[in-house]
Amino acid sequence: MAKRDTPMLDELLKGPYPSFVKELYKVQERKPMVQDLLGQLEDSYEERIGHWKHGGIVGVMGYGGGVIGRYSDLQDKYPNVAHFHTMRVNQPAAWFYTSDILRKIADIWEKHGSGLTNMHGSTGDMVLLGTTTDELEPTFQALAKEGFDLGGSGSVLRTPSCCVGPARCEWACYDTLKLCYDFTQEYQDELHRPFFPYKFKFKFSGCPNDCVASIARSDMSIIGTWKDDIQIDQAAVAEYAKAGMDIQADVIDICPSKCMKYDGEGIEVDNHECVHCMHCINVMPKALAPGKERGATILLGAKAPIMDGALLASVLVPFIDLNDPDEVEDLHELIGNIWDFWGEHGKNRERIGELIQRVGMSTFLEAIGLEPEPEMISAPRDNPYIFFKEEEDEEEEE
Amino acid sequence: MAKRDTPMLDELLKGPYPSFVKELYKVQERKPMVQDLLGQLEDSYEERIGHWKHGGIVGVMGYGGGVIGRYSDLQDKYPNVAHFHTMRVNQPAAWFYTSDILRKIADIWEKHGSGLTNMHGSTGDMVLLGTTTDELEPTFQALAKEGFDLGGSGSVLRTPSCCVGPARCEWACYDTLKLCYDFTQEYQDELHRPFFPYKFKFKFSGCPNDCVASIARSDMSIIGTWKDDIQIDQAAVAEYAKAGMDIQADVIDICPSKCMKYDGEGIEVDNHECVHCMHCINVMPKALAPGKERGATILLGAKAPIMDGALLASVLVPFIDLNDPDEVEDLHELIGNIWDFWGEHGKNRERIGELIQRVGMSTFLEAIGLEPEPEMISAPRDNPYIFFKEEEDEEEEE
Amino acid sequence: MAEAPADRITDVGPPHYERFLPPIIKANYGKWKYHEILKPGIMVHVGESGDKLFTVRAASPRLISVDTIRVFADIAEKYCDGHLRFTSRNNVEFLLTEEANIEPLIADITKEGFPVGGTGSGLSNIVHTQGWVHCHSSATDASGIVKSVMDELFPYFQEKRLPAKTRIALACCLNMCGAVHCSDIAILGVHQRPPRIDDKNISKMCEIPTTISSCPTGAIRTADKDGMKTVEVSEDLCMFCANCYTVCPSMQLNDPDTDGISIWVGGKVSNAISEPKFSKLAIPFIPNNPPRWPEVVDAVKNIIEVYAANARKYERIGDWIERIGWPKFFKLTGIEFTRYHIDDFKHAGWTYKRSTHLKF
Amino acid sequence: MAEAPADRITDVGPPHYERFLPPIIKANYGKWKYHEILKPGIMVHVGESGDKLFTVRAASPRLISVDTIRVFADIAEKYCDGHLRFTSRNNVEFLLTEEANIEPLIADITKEGFPVGGTGSGLSNIVHTQGWVHCHSSATDASGIVKSVMDELFPYFQEKRLPAKTRIALACCLNMCGAVHCSDIAILGVHQRPPRIDDKNISKMCEIPTTISSCPTGAIRTADKDGMKTVEVSEDLCMFCANCYTVCPSMQLNDPDTDGISIWVGGKVSNAISEPKFSKLAIPFIPNNPPRWPEVVDAVKNIIEVYAANARKYERIGDWIERIGWPKFFKLTGIEFTRYHIDDFKHAGWTYKRSTHLKF
Ligand code: SRM
Ligand code: SRM
Ligand code: SRM
Ligand code: SRM
Ligand code: SF4
Ligand code: SF4
Ligand code: SF4
Ligand code: SF4
Ligand code: SF4
Ligand code: SF4
Ligand code: SF4
Ligand code: SF4
């Protein structure tokens, strides 16, 4: 079918914000696939309904993920999007690129696909949007030659992602890029070959600001923090005051643990009461900084709502020193134990966070070999339904 | 069996706090039943186990509650407590007595029972502790002649109770004694003749201090509150200040809604922000008082943990003017609707709070004819699992 | 059923409270202006009229004999024109109009063994239940522990003050008669072993389907033993709540060696400052040790003392713990944190720490 | 399976990030001292060394063509030695060392249609999903709504400030790809009708037991229709989550007339000040109205404006609402409170108001 008019979509060319329709227009002349995409999308806008459907599983040889197969349900009308698969390409840590590499990727996708991308997908991948089954393997190999690999999809480890961290942020409490890269490499097999009950996501944030939203959407969330005292440059404090900042109102009064004092001269922090929320540091980056004894908190179990309601991740390891190779090794071992337990007890399509709720945190901790700590909970149980274990009672009776 | 030694219990005669063992001693000489109670209790102390057992249902004619049947499992050893039933006697509102009436009750119980009582039981009844099946009816009628009646037990309305309220408290926002009395009289049938799925409790507190713990342990909790401005006597404020009270620290800073100001002269309240917590009034009773537009909040569904975990009551009617007979009438109608719904849909041994959680608050509200209000919730749903109803959609589409 | 005699009285309900109100209350009903705590146990309420009502509050063991009721009546007559009341925490309150009568009344009631106190920011009576004195379901005694704890903490009932009102409650089993689930400190009797089933009698004594459906965790199922229709309990699923026993006497849980006490903290009922909240687990298990349960007494005392030393004025135990955080509570009190503290019942996930707001 | 060619490359993982870091980052890696937002969209990060790295952040529609990628590459080469990155909210960031290059770069990128902004206390890009562009499951489009909302709220992306960072996210179905469940404002596609079952094909296309067990509310059961093995859905139990459709294409939910959008508010992710929290329902349903969804745009704008006018500095939407209370939120925004706002899913009881802390 010939290029159709798209009056509804054309409305979206207007206005100051960048327009995805303009992006489609940019390539449609040379990409019939995009012409048909425009057509089908205009149909969707008119009819208020999508026109994609499930289809057989497609992918590249030896991988169980990385490609989302998609088919039009208007194949006759729009044959060029009969197949319209996406490829998820594992982004470089913290999404750093050079113009060189971007051009190479553009060229590959110009050749093998629709010329449309998402920079980036919600998980973090570079998403190459729309190609046919035939082109999957060639695209994959072309990318591989440039040093790129596919990301995850299906019941696998999903593409890990991390915040810009030490590369450009003064608050990074550990090297998010390195950890993200190392983990991605370490777990290539888990990333490409489904053997989990469901998906598993790692996200790495350098501090509690959590700029990759890891606590909301990763099965394992690694969030930088510190243990010792907040670093204070009192001269810089004075400068903020001189510049007109109302330190009492903007910082001290807002501190959630109310552990700060300001006497008009300097700031004092009762560091044992600090909950490491970052607020004071966020507001006064020149004067305050995280302490020097830095590491991370490991949290487990975040996910979207299907099926028992969404979960935020919860504390598993209150503090870990990620500069210490032994502790990183311990973390890998812990991850192995978690995956083993999940593999054995997780139901099909049950995320780790749901499994923990189902079997109970204390049973889970025992299985993975961690001691319970009060930092793992917001409060102890309020119901009296305690599953006392016989062994332990005996100890108590001695 | 003869009076036995009770060396363990005798340990509880020592110490400054009043001793229940001393109470047993006071009557044991003339009450073989209490001698045996002492004996059996000493056995329990030695063996670390109770010696009471379930038994057939006992009671007075025509009533389904008010008596708890109890039998010793050491009947041979302690025949005088073979039967040891308690009678729950509906206390006067707010537990006011005169010496006269107490003496009459004492005489009745001297004659018909063990001579032991609980002043009072946890629900609020006067509990007459220990008698035989034969004595139940005579005791009941002797009490009735003095104007007393039994309280509730089993799947009935339980004995309502109320705080001292307007009788001795400056903060009572409605007449707790009157309402408690009126309700108790209104629902005599429900109190004595089981026809509910399980127990139902009313408790009446005159203000949010909730001195009868109604929000924690009554199926319907009626808690006084006010709608207009807190009454302030600025002269009295000044006196508190003069007397050395740190008004800023003790009142203003602690106000949970941070809606108060003190400028060293007088107190100012942003009354629309006040959450009616009572704190400021509690601390400065001479200077502050609840407003004049007084009434109550009706909450529903508190209970102990069996079986789904304990519940605190939740807001059903944010504000009701209990001085307006029409509004009281409406409340009775609402109660009728609630009991109807519960009667129809409640499972055996399912409290109203559990039923609401099971069917959902909005379904429940619809059934009892109340409009949803944002005051009923602490926050809207965070899960996207909305049971859209067809009718309403059509409205929306119009 | 036997026919009721013609003059039989029923459904009269309780007597009208006005019968028992002293004249000063009738005159000032709903028109009180303010009150003051003159000293622990002694209050004055002042009416808009200027009238003054004095209250003397005395401790009571709650389980009292008719003799004691008569003693209370005597004292009320001597000093209060016969007027008295009881409180929602089972203390007795004498209602006076003559200020001069206060001290003599205190002297008399104290001599009788009922000390005065229990108001304001201290300890009041322990709300409690029946225990071995009357209930078949109890995992511990009630009155004996209450007496032992209050003896030890007696100064806080009288002169010693705490940061805020501190309410202790005790329930002898998970039915939790009372408001222990919302107490600053709750002492709760617990079992630790599944029910022992009386296979012989169960089918006669109990309705088996009701028994099965009574179990919150679905631990009970039907069974056949030597041809007898009975039930069996999956030990893994049982958390010893005794709900089955409540509906079926053939499911006994009481056991001298494994029954005992758990301690819960930080609940509250009033809406003052913060919203009402549940008590949370502090100590999962302490064995029964009658007659004076010294380990329980020590545990409660320790919590009270740590609280007294650390909390701010007006801060209830639960508010204090929320401010300092649970990890610090365990550290300050020296109470061990165990797997039992981590909720694993139905809504457990709500109690996990879902942020990085941690203290180090 | 076909044999893989000998030189086939697999499992190499992503390229090492160091390949793409500009020299100034390598030199100051982990040794940044502080940063400043010079103006919306422009930051400087200063190293302990004194080195200065300038960042220019520009909006991106996320769905970009290779042409645009080449434009970005051109600009990066012209002003940044080829260095750029993308952010976790899909903006593009140019990394400069020459302060003098900032303004020319802004001019160029703006001219190309990618305006600069998105930092600090304002709006950044809307994190979103595929919608009708690629996903089979969507109840609405993604990119079109995002464009419409951002056009209207554009001043907040640039110069206009809000009390705190404000994160909008969109997901086109309940799978919620992204962090919409923890966004200040979430735009969520919803269905309102149960699945239509393709009785003819379901037994071929789907595993029936998996389909049945996929339903969170147990609404699906097996059925026989004219001898065909199929399933049926209890309309009363279905809440239109489409989880069945995810596992079984024969359970289609999309419907032009009843699909639409819900709006959620008050979620957050960062631990700054308050703990992370979920977004809560504000508006249950707005019909799809392409191409510009004016009702959705108005609804979002209204919330933002009421928030801007009422919240305190540093207060995220959720913190603001918690301070003023939900009843006031509904009053201020004029949004109707309905039965749909009251949770009735599994843990619903947690969201009831269990205190008398009410405002009148
Ligand atoms: C492409 C992407 C959205 C986007 O436009 O960015 C996406 C697209 C899909 N997601 Fe997602 N998800 C994407 C990130 C997410 C995220 C966010 C994240 O990873 O940080 C989540 C929420 C976090 C989480 O994992 O819980 C997410 C939660 C889901 C779910 C619900 C999972 C759950 O446990 O609740 C499903 C349903 C499923 O797995 O069947 C889902 C399923 C899907 C499927 C595969 C739907 C399907 O059944 O085929 C979508 C394919 C769309 C398409 O046409 O390509 N997607 N999905 C994101 C992946 C791109 C990338 O690799 O970078
Ligand atoms: C006597 C009393 C305790 C006391 O020493 O004060 C009491 C005693 C019993 N309660 Fe209770 N409850 C008493 C107030 C309460 C309260 C407090 C209240 O009413 O304010 C509660 C908590 C609030 C509530 O209703 O949830 C309470 C929650 C229970 C429960 C759990 C109910 C639930 O839904 O979770 C049960 C179990 C049952 O009903 O089978 C129960 C069952 C019982 C039984 C009947 C046990 C049984 O199965 O036979 C006890 C009889 C003891 C005996 O030997 O006399 N009792 N019970 C209280 C009644 C005295 C009175 O009438 O004044
Ligand atoms: C007499 C009594 C009511 C009754 O009808 O029997 C009563 C009477 C008063 N209460 Fe109460 N409360 C009484 C049980 C309660 C209860 C229920 C309970 O303890 O089981 C509570 C809820 C406790 C809880 O939250 O767990 C209660 C929470 C309060 C509060 C709020 C305290 C707080 O900080 O949370 C106040 C305000 C205050 O004390 O400043 C209060 C204040 C008062 C005042 C000052 C009211 C007044 O103006 O007269 C009375 C004297 C208080 C005192 O003892 O210091 N009353 N009060 C109850 C005495 C019980 C006792 O013998 O100790
Ligand atoms: C570039 C980026 C990280 C990345 O690796 O890509 C980033 C970078 C910075 N973030 Fe962020 N944040 C980035 C996404 C996030 C996210 C995730 C998200 O939005 O999905 C969050 C969590 C948001 C939430 O809670 O819902 C996030 C919460 C913060 C906060 C806490 C804000 C708060 O009040 O809650 C700060 C502190 C601040 O701004 O004062 C912060 C601060 C910063 C600083 C100032 C850190 C620094 O010293 O360099 C950076 C510039 C902030 C700015 O834009 O004003 N960043 N930041 C992300 C930019 C996204 C964008 O294009 O807009
Ligand atoms: S999460 Fe922390 S370390 Fe990472 S970019 Fe954000 S503010 Fe910087
Ligand atoms: S990081 Fe947060 S909790 Fe710690 S001192 Fe700063 S503002 Fe307070
Ligand atoms: S609840 Fe309020 S009105 Fe009733 S006695 Fe307590 S403080 Fe007074
Ligand atoms: S009653 Fe409570 S919320 Fe209201 S002004 Fe007083 S202290 Fe503040
Ligand atoms: S708490 Fe349990 S053992 Fe104690 S009186 Fe109530 S039902 Fe009986
Ligand atoms: S004690 Fe409770 S959990 Fe155990 S079998 Fe009985 S009802 Fe079930
Ligand atoms: S949110 Fe739903 S419709 Fe949108 S991309 Fe994800 S799975 Fe597809
Ligand atoms: S849409 Fe959801 S609730 Fe409805 S049948 Fe499908 S899985 Fe069940």
Side-chain angles (χ1 to χ4, degrees), chain C residues 89-160:
Chain C
R89 297 191 80 81
N90 311 312
N91 289 308
V92 57
E93 289 184 338
F94 296 94
L95 306 165
L96 301 83
T97 46
E98 289 300 319
E99 190 161 2
N101 279 341
I102 296 178
E103 290 305 325
L105 191 158
I106 296 177
D108 278 13
I109 190 85
T110 307
K111 209 177 65 215
E112 291 291 345
F114 304 98
V116 165
T119 56
S121 293
L123 283 190
S124 182
N125 214 343
I126 298 186
V127 162
H128 63 280
T129 48
Q130 296 297 332
W132 294 333
V133 169
H134 199 266
C135 198
H136 63 115
S137 181
S138 47
T140 187
D141 188 35
S143 315
I145 305 170
V146 165
K147 164 78 174 139
S148 306
V149 170
M150 285 308 284
D151 277 346
E152 184 67 34
L153 295 174
F154 187 64
Y156 294 105
F157 179 81
Q158 291 202 313
E159 76 286 357
K160 260 181 119 168

Side-chain angles (χ1 to χ4, degrees), chain D residues 193-195 211 214-220 233 237-245 251 253:
Chain D
R193 286 291 167 277
T211 309
S214 75
C215 179
T217 63
I220 310 175
V233 169
L237 290 176
C238 179
M239 38 58 175
F240 328 112
C241 70
N243 202 40
C244 53
Y245 178 58
M251 310 278 292
L253 276 100

